Structures are given as C-alpha cells and as structure tokens.
Amino acid sequence: MIKYDAIVIGAGAAGILAAATAAQKGAKVLLLDRNARMARKVMITGKGRCNVTNRCTAESFLQNVCSNPKFLLGPISRFSPKETMDLFEGLGVPLKTERGDRVFPVSDKAVDIVDALVRHAGYSGVIFQQERVLSLIIEEGCVKGVRCESEKVFYSDRIVVATGGKSYPLTGSSGDGYDLAAQAGHKIVAPRA
C-alpha cells in the first residue's frame, strides 16, 4: 500500500497550486483529476486568452465583487493580485495589462498559463494520475483515502478537494466535489446561477 502525505482532487489552477505548494514543502503529493489534460477550464477563460487577474489592490478587488465580497477577504488578503502576477511571471509567463486593468499573458494564449502550472507541479514533484474520485474512505470520523471509478484506492490522511463547482460539466466541473464534501459531513448549499 502506497500512502501519500496529501492527495489533491482536481487539477484546475487551485488544485495544481495546492499540490505544488505542498510538494515544495517536502510532502509526497498525488494529484488526481478525471481529465487527461489538466486545467481544462483555464483553457477557455478570457475567450481562450486567460484573464489571469486584475492589476489592482486587494481592497479594490473586493469593492468590485458583486455579492458577498467578505467570502473572498481571507484568500485575497493572503494572495493578492500582485502576488498572482509575480507567480506567473516567475514561472516564465510574461503578462500585460489591458483596458479595465485586466491582466493576460503577453501571448494571448491560455495554454501558456496552463503549461506553466503543469510544469510547476512537475518540477515540484507532484505525481499526477488521471482518475475520477467517487468516494472518500472515512474511518472513525477521519479521512484515510479515496476510492476511484477505476476501483483504485489511494491512501492519505490529508485530502484537498479542489474540484471546482458545477459550472461546465464538459470541462470536468460536474459537481463531484459537492458529493465528496457531503461524505465528509459538510453541509451543502444547493448551487445556483
């Protein structure tokens, strides 16, 4: 039985960065995603150009969030738009700012962002496998691993669910994370547009 220090479910931008960050800190990390190609939703953002962030302060970012900006207060104060830009430029993706302070890769290609994320995870030591996670293994109230559609089982006491929402099933955003969170005892609020 192989046991990982952490398993990340979902290879979008958040999952890839979570996995890479843990691996850089010395963890043996397994990143699972149902798609063969990571970060599929990133590929279609900004009409295929990938609007990475906006060139603004965290405060002005929150002022432009239409509903419940307090929900984003913690994350945006810990990782600002400037830090996002620094990250991608540090990963070798030059950025530009356009009208409305929107930030894009100079190449106007979302694939450059995706490739940088995937390289970053690989260089950090993240192990990637194409698997759809169906259930969590929970014993005595503690997560111990995951069961996959292929019937494979992977073990870890630390599971990060980064599957995204239910916005675009063709990219893999089919709502699997809601089921996994419910299995762990989280209360799920029905998603709405």
mmCIF file of all heavy atoms in Angstrom, residues 135-186:
data_model
loop_
_atom_site.group_PDB
_atom_site.id
_atom_site.type_symbol
_atom_site.label_atom_id
_atom_site.label_comp_id
_atom_site.label_asym_id
_atom_site.label_seq_id
_atom_site.Cartn_x
_atom_site.Cartn_y
_atom_site.Cartn_z
ATOM 1 N N SER A 135 -15.418 8.380 -4.044
ATOM 2 C CA SER A 135 -15.748 8.442 -2.619
ATOM 3 C C SER A 135 -14.499 8.592 -1.767
ATOM 4 O O SER A 135 -13.387 8.262 -2.183
ATOM 5 C CB SER A 135 -16.521 7.196 -2.188
ATOM 6 O OG SER A 135 -15.731 6.046 -2.336
ATOM 7 N N LEU A 136 -14.742 9.115 -0.582
ATOM 8 C CA LEU A 136 -13.698 9.219 0.425
ATOM 9 C C LEU A 136 -13.732 7.972 1.300
ATOM 10 O O LEU A 136 -14.803 7.412 1.539
ATOM 11 C CB LEU A 136 -13.929 10.450 1.309
ATOM 12 C CG LEU A 136 -13.969 11.806 0.607
ATOM 13 C CD1 LEU A 136 -14.341 12.892 1.610
ATOM 14 C CD2 LEU A 136 -12.642 12.110 -0.061
ATOM 15 N N ILE A 137 -12.591 7.557 1.764
ATOM 16 C CA ILE A 137 -12.517 6.480 2.756
ATOM 17 C C ILE A 137 -12.456 7.171 4.108
ATOM 18 O O ILE A 137 -11.515 7.913 4.397
ATOM 19 C CB ILE A 137 -11.262 5.603 2.538
ATOM 20 C CG1 ILE A 137 -11.307 4.965 1.156
ATOM 21 C CG2 ILE A 137 -11.152 4.560 3.645
ATOM 22 C CD1 ILE A 137 -9.994 4.332 0.740
ATOM 23 N N ILE A 138 -13.493 6.956 4.913
ATOM 24 C CA ILE A 138 -13.579 7.608 6.218
ATOM 25 C C ILE A 138 -13.697 6.530 7.276
ATOM 26 O O ILE A 138 -14.583 5.670 7.215
ATOM 27 C CB ILE A 138 -14.780 8.575 6.271
ATOM 28 C CG1 ILE A 138 -14.616 9.648 5.192
ATOM 29 C CG2 ILE A 138 -14.909 9.198 7.662
ATOM 30 C CD1 ILE A 138 -15.800 10.571 5.043
ATOM 31 N N GLU A 139 -12.778 6.573 8.236
ATOM 32 C CA GLU A 139 -12.769 5.600 9.331
ATOM 33 C C GLU A 139 -12.737 6.351 10.653
ATOM 34 O O GLU A 139 -11.867 7.208 10.850
ATOM 35 C CB GLU A 139 -11.550 4.678 9.220
ATOM 36 C CG GLU A 139 -11.539 3.832 7.955
ATOM 37 C CD GLU A 139 -10.220 3.072 7.763
ATOM 38 O OE1 GLU A 139 -9.317 3.199 8.613
ATOM 39 O OE2 GLU A 139 -10.128 2.365 6.748
ATOM 40 N N GLU A 140 -13.672 6.049 11.512
ATOM 41 C CA GLU A 140 -13.758 6.677 12.830
ATOM 42 C C GLU A 140 -13.727 8.200 12.736
ATOM 43 O O GLU A 140 -13.063 8.885 13.503
ATOM 44 C CB GLU A 140 -12.638 6.158 13.742
ATOM 45 C CG GLU A 140 -12.749 4.663 13.999
ATOM 46 C CD GLU A 140 -11.614 4.133 14.857
ATOM 47 O OE1 GLU A 140 -10.941 4.938 15.538
ATOM 48 O OE2 GLU A 140 -11.410 2.908 14.844
ATOM 49 N N GLY A 141 -14.441 8.734 11.738
ATOM 50 C CA GLY A 141 -14.552 10.174 11.574
ATOM 51 C C GLY A 141 -13.363 10.858 10.930
ATOM 52 O O GLY A 141 -13.327 12.082 10.844
ATOM 53 N N CYS A 142 -12.382 10.077 10.483
ATOM 54 C CA CYS A 142 -11.190 10.661 9.863
ATOM 55 C C CYS A 142 -11.037 10.160 8.429
ATOM 56 O O CYS A 142 -11.230 8.969 8.161
ATOM 57 C CB CYS A 142 -9.939 10.294 10.651
ATOM 58 S SG CYS A 142 -9.940 10.940 12.326
ATOM 59 N N VAL A 143 -10.661 11.063 7.547
ATOM 60 C CA VAL A 143 -10.416 10.678 6.157
ATOM 61 C C VAL A 143 -9.117 9.890 6.098
ATOM 62 O O VAL A 143 -8.099 10.289 6.668
ATOM 63 C CB VAL A 143 -10.344 11.927 5.250
ATOM 64 C CG1 VAL A 143 -9.990 11.546 3.830
ATOM 65 C CG2 VAL A 143 -11.659 12.669 5.265
ATOM 66 N N LYS A 144 -9.159 8.779 5.373
ATOM 67 C CA LYS A 144 -7.986 7.912 5.260
ATOM 68 C C LYS A 144 -7.550 7.707 3.814
ATOM 69 O O LYS A 144 -6.507 7.116 3.560
ATOM 70 C CB LYS A 144 -8.273 6.541 5.888
ATOM 71 C CG LYS A 144 -8.543 6.603 7.361
ATOM 72 C CD LYS A 144 -7.329 7.087 8.117
ATOM 73 C CE LYS A 144 -7.586 7.174 9.608
ATOM 74 N NZ LYS A 144 -6.430 7.715 10.329
ATOM 75 N N GLY A 145 -8.369 8.161 2.849
ATOM 76 C CA GLY A 145 -8.007 7.979 1.445
ATOM 77 C C GLY A 145 -9.195 8.187 0.536
ATOM 78 O O GLY A 145 -10.231 8.722 0.958
ATOM 79 N N VAL A 146 -9.028 7.738 -0.724
ATOM 80 C CA VAL A 146 -10.072 7.905 -1.733
ATOM 81 C C VAL A 146 -10.237 6.633 -2.555
ATOM 82 O O VAL A 146 -9.293 5.872 -2.731
ATOM 83 C CB VAL A 146 -9.760 9.092 -2.677
ATOM 84 C CG1 VAL A 146 -9.674 10.401 -1.907
ATOM 85 C CG2 VAL A 146 -8.492 8.857 -3.475
ATOM 86 N N ARG A 147 -11.462 6.421 -3.025
ATOM 87 C CA ARG A 147 -11.773 5.336 -3.963
ATOM 88 C C ARG A 147 -12.102 5.965 -5.303
ATOM 89 O O ARG A 147 -12.873 6.922 -5.374
ATOM 90 C CB ARG A 147 -12.976 4.531 -3.489
ATOM 91 C CG ARG A 147 -12.657 3.512 -2.456
ATOM 92 C CD ARG A 147 -13.829 2.542 -2.234
ATOM 93 N NE ARG A 147 -13.444 1.533 -1.286
ATOM 94 C CZ ARG A 147 -13.337 1.727 0.023
ATOM 95 N NH1 ARG A 147 -13.603 2.894 0.531
ATOM 96 N NH2 ARG A 147 -12.978 0.744 0.819
ATOM 97 N N CYS A 148 -11.578 5.371 -6.363
ATOM 98 C CA CYS A 148 -11.759 5.927 -7.700
ATOM 99 C C CYS A 148 -12.708 5.068 -8.530
ATOM 100 O O CYS A 148 -12.955 3.905 -8.215
ATOM 101 C CB CYS A 148 -10.409 6.040 -8.406
ATOM 102 S SG CYS A 148 -9.270 7.129 -7.536
ATOM 103 N N GLU A 149 -13.188 5.663 -9.603
ATOM 104 C CA GLU A 149 -14.086 4.976 -10.522
ATOM 105 C C GLU A 149 -13.439 3.716 -11.076
ATOM 106 O O GLU A 149 -14.106 2.713 -11.329
ATOM 107 C CB GLU A 149 -14.447 5.943 -11.658
ATOM 108 C CG GLU A 149 -15.536 5.477 -12.572
ATOM 109 C CD GLU A 149 -15.940 6.584 -13.535
ATOM 110 O OE1 GLU A 149 -15.063 7.103 -14.250
ATOM 111 O OE2 GLU A 149 -17.133 6.919 -13.554
ATOM 112 N N SER A 150 -12.129 3.731 -11.238
ATOM 113 C CA SER A 150 -11.394 2.567 -11.757
ATOM 114 C C SER A 150 -11.236 1.464 -10.714
ATOM 115 O O SER A 150 -10.628 0.439 -10.991
ATOM 116 C CB SER A 150 -10.003 3.008 -12.205
ATOM 117 O OG SER A 150 -9.229 3.394 -11.065
ATOM 118 N N GLU A 151 -11.763 1.713 -9.511
ATOM 119 C CA GLU A 151 -11.660 0.830 -8.356
ATOM 120 C C GLU A 151 -10.308 0.906 -7.663
ATOM 121 O O GLU A 151 -10.051 0.185 -6.704
ATOM 122 C CB GLU A 151 -12.031 -0.620 -8.717
ATOM 123 C CG GLU A 151 -13.466 -0.733 -9.220
ATOM 124 C CD GLU A 151 -13.914 -2.155 -9.461
ATOM 125 O OE1 GLU A 151 -13.228 -3.104 -9.034
ATOM 126 O OE2 GLU A 151 -14.976 -2.306 -10.094
ATOM 127 N N LYS A 152 -9.422 1.785 -8.143
ATOM 128 C CA LYS A 152 -8.161 2.006 -7.422
ATOM 129 C C LYS A 152 -8.455 2.747 -6.129
ATOM 130 O O LYS A 152 -9.398 3.536 -6.039
ATOM 131 C CB LYS A 152 -7.189 2.827 -8.263
ATOM 132 C CG LYS A 152 -6.625 2.077 -9.444
ATOM 133 C CD LYS A 152 -5.613 2.932 -10.175
ATOM 134 C CE LYS A 152 -5.084 2.206 -11.395
ATOM 135 N NZ LYS A 152 -4.196 3.074 -12.193
ATOM 136 N N VAL A 153 -7.601 2.494 -5.130
ATOM 137 C CA VAL A 153 -7.704 3.148 -3.833
ATOM 138 C C VAL A 153 -6.361 3.797 -3.540
ATOM 139 O O VAL A 153 -5.302 3.194 -3.760
ATOM 140 C CB VAL A 153 -8.054 2.122 -2.728
ATOM 141 C CG1 VAL A 153 -8.047 2.778 -1.367
ATOM 142 C CG2 VAL A 153 -9.407 1.478 -3.013
ATOM 143 N N PHE A 154 -6.403 5.041 -3.079
ATOM 144 C CA PHE A 154 -5.192 5.774 -2.703
ATOM 145 C C PHE A 154 -5.371 6.252 -1.265
ATOM 146 O O PHE A 154 -6.469 6.671 -0.867
ATOM 147 C CB PHE A 154 -4.969 6.971 -3.631
ATOM 148 C CG PHE A 154 -4.806 6.586 -5.075
ATOM 149 C CD1 PHE A 154 -5.870 6.679 -5.954
ATOM 150 C CD2 PHE A 154 -3.591 6.116 -5.562
ATOM 151 C CE1 PHE A 154 -5.736 6.329 -7.285
ATOM 152 C CE2 PHE A 154 -3.439 5.756 -6.897
ATOM 153 C CZ PHE A 154 -4.512 5.864 -7.758
ATOM 154 N N TYR A 155 -4.273 6.202 -0.497
ATOM 155 C CA TYR A 155 -4.364 6.488 0.926
ATOM 156 C C TYR A 155 -3.624 7.769 1.305
ATOM 157 O O TYR A 155 -2.513 8.028 0.840
ATOM 158 C CB TYR A 155 -3.794 5.315 1.731
ATOM 159 C CG TYR A 155 -4.583 4.050 1.537
ATOM 160 C CD1 TYR A 155 -4.205 3.107 0.588
ATOM 161 C CD2 TYR A 155 -5.730 3.813 2.287
ATOM 162 C CE1 TYR A 155 -4.949 1.954 0.383
ATOM 163 C CE2 TYR A 155 -6.479 2.658 2.088
ATOM 164 C CZ TYR A 155 -6.076 1.737 1.144
ATOM 165 O OH TYR A 155 -6.828 0.604 0.953
ATOM 166 N N SER A 156 -4.269 8.551 2.162
ATOM 167 C CA SER A 156 -3.676 9.732 2.773
ATOM 168 C C SER A 156 -4.608 10.226 3.867
ATOM 169 O O SER A 156 -5.821 10.075 3.765
ATOM 170 C CB SER A 156 -3.463 10.853 1.754
ATOM 171 O OG SER A 156 -2.922 11.995 2.408
ATOM 172 N N ASP A 157 -4.021 10.827 4.904
ATOM 173 C CA ASP A 157 -4.817 11.437 5.962
ATOM 174 C C ASP A 157 -5.181 12.879 5.621
ATOM 175 O O ASP A 157 -5.911 13.526 6.362
ATOM 176 C CB ASP A 157 -4.038 11.425 7.288
ATOM 177 C CG ASP A 157 -3.773 10.022 7.784
ATOM 178 O OD1 ASP A 157 -4.560 9.114 7.468
ATOM 179 O OD2 ASP A 157 -2.759 9.824 8.488
ATOM 180 N N ARG A 158 -4.636 13.375 4.516
ATOM 181 C CA ARG A 158 -4.882 14.761 4.107
ATOM 182 C C ARG A 158 -5.419 14.776 2.681
ATOM 183 O O ARG A 158 -4.702 14.407 1.753
ATOM 184 C CB ARG A 158 -3.603 15.575 4.187
ATOM 185 C CG ARG A 158 -3.093 15.753 5.595
ATOM 186 C CD ARG A 158 -1.739 16.452 5.588
ATOM 187 N NE ARG A 158 -1.110 16.369 6.880
ATOM 188 C CZ ARG A 158 -0.309 15.375 7.271
ATOM 189 N NH1 ARG A 158 -0.023 14.388 6.447
ATOM 190 N NH2 ARG A 158 0.217 15.373 8.470
ATOM 191 N N ILE A 159 -6.655 15.211 2.539
ATOM 192 C CA ILE A 159 -7.293 15.274 1.226
ATOM 193 C C ILE A 159 -7.726 16.714 0.971
ATOM 194 O O ILE A 159 -8.380 17.330 1.815
ATOM 195 C CB ILE A 159 -8.543 14.361 1.153
ATOM 196 C CG1 ILE A 159 -8.246 12.937 1.619
ATOM 197 C CG2 ILE A 159 -9.163 14.408 -0.238
ATOM 198 C CD1 ILE A 159 -7.341 12.141 0.729
ATOM 199 N N VAL A 160 -7.357 17.239 -0.180
ATOM 200 C CA VAL A 160 -7.799 18.568 -0.606
ATOM 201 C C VAL A 160 -8.774 18.353 -1.758
ATOM 202 O O VAL A 160 -8.421 17.734 -2.761
ATOM 203 C CB VAL A 160 -6.609 19.437 -1.089
ATOM 204 C CG1 VAL A 160 -7.111 20.777 -1.622
ATOM 205 C CG2 VAL A 160 -5.595 19.628 0.026
ATOM 206 N N VAL A 161 -9.994 18.845 -1.582
ATOM 207 C CA VAL A 161 -10.990 18.759 -2.651
ATOM 208 C C VAL A 161 -10.985 20.107 -3.375
ATOM 209 O O VAL A 161 -11.417 21.115 -2.822
ATOM 210 C CB VAL A 161 -12.392 18.423 -2.115
ATOM 211 C CG1 VAL A 161 -13.407 18.386 -3.252
ATOM 212 C CG2 VAL A 161 -12.366 17.090 -1.374
ATOM 213 N N ALA A 162 -10.470 20.109 -4.598
ATOM 214 C CA ALA A 162 -10.351 21.329 -5.406
ATOM 215 C C ALA A 162 -10.983 21.088 -6.775
ATOM 216 O O ALA A 162 -10.388 21.357 -7.811
ATOM 217 C CB ALA A 162 -8.880 21.730 -5.532
ATOM 218 N N THR A 163 -12.186 20.547 -6.739
ATOM 219 C CA THR A 163 -12.849 20.142 -7.985
ATOM 220 C C THR A 163 -13.614 21.268 -8.661
ATOM 221 O O THR A 163 -14.126 21.079 -9.757
ATOM 222 C CB THR A 163 -13.831 18.997 -7.712
ATOM 223 O OG1 THR A 163 -14.770 19.432 -6.726
ATOM 224 C CG2 THR A 163 -13.098 17.756 -7.233
ATOM 225 N N GLY A 164 -13.699 22.412 -8.016
ATOM 226 C CA GLY A 164 -14.493 23.486 -8.589
ATOM 227 C C GLY A 164 -15.964 23.217 -8.375
ATOM 228 O O GLY A 164 -16.354 22.338 -7.606
ATOM 229 N N GLY A 165 -16.781 23.974 -9.070
ATOM 230 C CA GLY A 165 -18.223 23.879 -8.881
ATOM 231 C C GLY A 165 -18.889 22.963 -9.878
ATOM 232 O O GLY A 165 -18.380 21.883 -10.196
ATOM 233 N N LYS A 166 -19.995 23.443 -10.381
ATOM 234 C CA LYS A 166 -20.802 22.640 -11.290
ATOM 235 C C LYS A 166 -21.108 23.465 -12.545
ATOM 236 O O LYS A 166 -22.155 23.338 -13.152
ATOM 237 C CB LYS A 166 -22.101 22.244 -10.576
ATOM 238 C CG LYS A 166 -22.833 21.104 -11.186
ATOM 239 C CD LYS A 166 -23.990 20.693 -10.307
ATOM 240 C CE LYS A 166 -24.650 19.454 -10.882
ATOM 241 N NZ LYS A 166 -25.661 18.913 -10.010
ATOM 242 N N SER A 167 -20.158 24.304 -12.920
ATOM 243 C CA SER A 167 -20.426 25.308 -13.940
ATOM 244 C C SER A 167 -20.319 24.815 -15.376
ATOM 245 O O SER A 167 -20.975 25.351 -16.254
ATOM 246 C CB SER A 167 -19.472 26.486 -13.758
ATOM 247 O OG SER A 167 -18.142 26.042 -13.903
ATOM 248 N N TYR A 168 -19.483 23.841 -15.617
ATOM 249 C CA TYR A 168 -19.235 23.468 -17.007
ATOM 250 C C TYR A 168 -18.840 21.991 -17.062
ATOM 251 O O TYR A 168 -17.663 21.653 -17.131
ATOM 252 C CB TYR A 168 -18.122 24.332 -17.568
ATOM 253 C CG TYR A 168 -18.126 24.479 -19.074
ATOM 254 C CD1 TYR A 168 -17.583 25.605 -19.664
ATOM 255 C CD2 TYR A 168 -18.645 23.511 -19.904
ATOM 256 C CE1 TYR A 168 -17.561 25.761 -21.040
ATOM 257 C CE2 TYR A 168 -18.634 23.647 -21.275
ATOM 258 C CZ TYR A 168 -18.085 24.782 -21.839
ATOM 259 O OH TYR A 168 -18.071 24.922 -23.191
ATOM 260 N N PRO A 169 -19.818 21.070 -17.050
ATOM 261 C CA PRO A 169 -19.528 19.638 -16.980
ATOM 262 C C PRO A 169 -18.570 19.122 -18.058
ATOM 263 O O PRO A 169 -17.817 18.188 -17.808
ATOM 264 C CB PRO A 169 -20.908 18.991 -17.110
ATOM 265 C CG PRO A 169 -21.846 20.016 -16.579
ATOM 266 C CD PRO A 169 -21.249 21.340 -16.993
ATOM 267 N N LEU A 170 -18.575 19.738 -19.238
ATOM 268 C CA LEU A 170 -17.677 19.262 -20.300
ATOM 269 C C LEU A 170 -16.203 19.430 -19.945
ATOM 270 O O LEU A 170 -15.349 18.750 -20.502
ATOM 271 C CB LEU A 170 -17.977 19.983 -21.623
ATOM 272 C CG LEU A 170 -19.327 19.641 -22.253
ATOM 273 C CD1 LEU A 170 -19.571 20.498 -23.493
ATOM 274 C CD2 LEU A 170 -19.401 18.163 -22.604
ATOM 275 N N THR A 171 -15.905 20.332 -19.007
ATOM 276 C CA THR A 171 -14.513 20.522 -18.583
ATOM 277 C C THR A 171 -14.182 19.692 -17.345
ATOM 278 O O THR A 171 -13.056 19.730 -16.863
ATOM 279 C CB THR A 171 -14.226 22.003 -18.281
ATOM 280 O OG1 THR A 171 -15.028 22.404 -17.165
ATOM 281 C CG2 THR A 171 -14.478 22.890 -19.483
ATOM 282 N N GLY A 172 -15.168 18.986 -16.828
ATOM 283 C CA GLY A 172 -14.952 18.200 -15.623
ATOM 284 C C GLY A 172 -15.630 18.809 -14.408
ATOM 285 O O GLY A 172 -15.672 18.208 -13.350
ATOM 286 N N SER A 173 -16.147 20.025 -14.522
ATOM 287 C CA SER A 173 -16.850 20.690 -13.415
ATOM 288 C C SER A 173 -18.270 20.174 -13.337
ATOM 289 O O SER A 173 -19.221 20.843 -13.733
ATOM 290 C CB SER A 173 -16.870 22.207 -13.638
ATOM 291 O OG SER A 173 -15.593 22.732 -13.508
ATOM 292 N N SER A 174 -18.400 18.973 -12.811
ATOM 293 C CA SER A 174 -19.715 18.331 -12.803
ATOM 294 C C SER A 174 -20.326 18.243 -11.412
ATOM 295 O O SER A 174 -21.378 17.643 -11.239
ATOM 296 C CB SER A 174 -19.596 16.933 -13.401
ATOM 297 O OG SER A 174 -18.678 16.177 -12.637
ATOM 298 N N GLY A 175 -19.671 18.821 -10.420
ATOM 299 C CA GLY A 175 -20.224 18.809 -9.071
ATOM 300 C C GLY A 175 -19.747 17.680 -8.190
ATOM 301 O O GLY A 175 -20.277 17.496 -7.091
ATOM 302 N N ASP A 176 -18.737 16.928 -8.618
ATOM 303 C CA ASP A 176 -18.237 15.807 -7.804
ATOM 304 C C ASP A 176 -17.790 16.262 -6.414
ATOM 305 O O ASP A 176 -17.947 15.537 -5.429
ATOM 306 C CB ASP A 176 -17.058 15.115 -8.493
ATOM 307 C CG ASP A 176 -17.455 14.316 -9.712
ATOM 308 O OD1 ASP A 176 -18.664 14.245 -10.025
ATOM 309 O OD2 ASP A 176 -16.554 13.751 -10.371
ATOM 310 N N GLY A 177 -17.245 17.444 -6.332
ATOM 311 C CA GLY A 177 -16.746 17.951 -5.050
ATOM 312 C C GLY A 177 -17.841 18.102 -4.009
ATOM 313 O O GLY A 177 -17.598 17.918 -2.813
ATOM 314 N N TYR A 178 -19.054 18.436 -4.457
ATOM 315 C CA TYR A 178 -20.168 18.552 -3.506
ATOM 316 C C TYR A 178 -20.446 17.206 -2.849
ATOM 317 O O TYR A 178 -20.659 17.124 -1.641
ATOM 318 C CB TYR A 178 -21.437 19.047 -4.209
ATOM 319 C CG TYR A 178 -21.309 20.438 -4.780
ATOM 320 C CD1 TYR A 178 -21.391 20.649 -6.143
ATOM 321 C CD2 TYR A 178 -21.125 21.549 -3.952
ATOM 322 C CE1 TYR A 178 -21.282 21.929 -6.680
ATOM 323 C CE2 TYR A 178 -21.015 22.824 -4.481
ATOM 324 C CZ TYR A 178 -21.101 23.012 -5.840
ATOM 325 O OH TYR A 178 -20.988 24.266 -6.368
ATOM 326 N N ASP A 179 -20.435 16.149 -3.655
ATOM 327 C CA ASP A 179 -20.675 14.807 -3.107
ATOM 328 C C ASP A 179 -19.571 14.415 -2.122
ATOM 329 O O ASP A 179 -19.850 13.852 -1.064
ATOM 330 C CB ASP A 179 -20.752 13.770 -4.229
ATOM 331 C CG ASP A 179 -21.950 13.984 -5.146
ATOM 332 O OD1 ASP A 179 -22.955 14.573 -4.695
ATOM 333 O OD2 ASP A 179 -21.871 13.564 -6.321
ATOM 334 N N LEU A 180 -18.335 14.709 -2.476
ATOM 335 C CA LEU A 180 -17.220 14.366 -1.595
ATOM 336 C C LEU A 180 -17.290 15.154 -0.297
ATOM 337 O O LEU A 180 -17.065 14.597 0.788
ATOM 338 C CB LEU A 180 -15.889 14.611 -2.310
ATOM 339 C CG LEU A 180 -15.648 13.752 -3.553
ATOM 340 C CD1 LEU A 180 -14.402 14.221 -4.300
ATOM 341 C CD2 LEU A 180 -15.543 12.276 -3.189
ATOM 342 N N ALA A 181 -17.602 16.440 -0.382
ATOM 343 C CA ALA A 181 -17.718 17.257 0.827
ATOM 344 C C ALA A 181 -18.846 16.746 1.723
ATOM 345 O O ALA A 181 -18.704 16.694 2.947
ATOM 346 C CB ALA A 181 -17.936 18.721 0.448
ATOM 347 N N ALA A 182 -19.964 16.349 1.114
ATOM 348 C CA ALA A 182 -21.084 15.816 1.888
ATOM 349 C C ALA A 182 -20.689 14.524 2.598
ATOM 350 O O ALA A 182 -21.080 14.296 3.752
ATOM 351 C CB ALA A 182 -22.294 15.586 0.988
ATOM 352 N N GLN A 183 -19.886 13.689 1.927
ATOM 353 C CA GLN A 183 -19.426 12.447 2.548
ATOM 354 C C GLN A 183 -18.606 12.727 3.810
ATOM 355 O O GLN A 183 -18.609 11.946 4.752
ATOM 356 C CB GLN A 183 -18.571 11.640 1.564
ATOM 357 C CG GLN A 183 -19.335 11.042 0.422
ATOM 358 C CD GLN A 183 -18.405 10.422 -0.607
ATOM 359 O OE1 GLN A 183 -17.310 9.957 -0.294
ATOM 360 N NE2 GLN A 183 -18.855 10.417 -1.858
ATOM 361 N N ALA A 184 -17.902 13.870 3.805
ATOM 362 C CA ALA A 184 -17.072 14.241 4.954
ATOM 363 C C ALA A 184 -17.877 14.971 6.028
ATOM 364 O O ALA A 184 -17.319 15.403 7.029
ATOM 365 C CB ALA A 184 -15.901 15.101 4.489
ATOM 366 N N GLY A 185 -19.190 15.112 5.790
ATOM 367 C CA GLY A 185 -20.044 15.705 6.800
ATOM 368 C C GLY A 185 -20.319 17.191 6.630
ATOM 369 O O GLY A 185 -20.954 17.814 7.472
ATOM 370 N N HIS A 186 -19.863 17.782 5.541
ATOM 371 C CA HIS A 186 -20.128 19.201 5.296
ATOM 372 C C HIS A 186 -21.554 19.412 4.835
ATOM 373 O O HIS A 186 -22.101 18.603 4.093
ATOM 374 C CB HIS A 186 -19.163 19.760 4.250
ATOM 375 C CG HIS A 186 -17.742 19.785 4.716
ATOM 376 N ND1 HIS A 186 -17.269 20.735 5.597
ATOM 377 C CD2 HIS A 186 -16.692 18.972 4.434
ATOM 378 C CE1 HIS A 186 -15.998 20.501 5.826
ATOM 379 N NE2 HIS A 186 -15.622 19.440 5.144
#
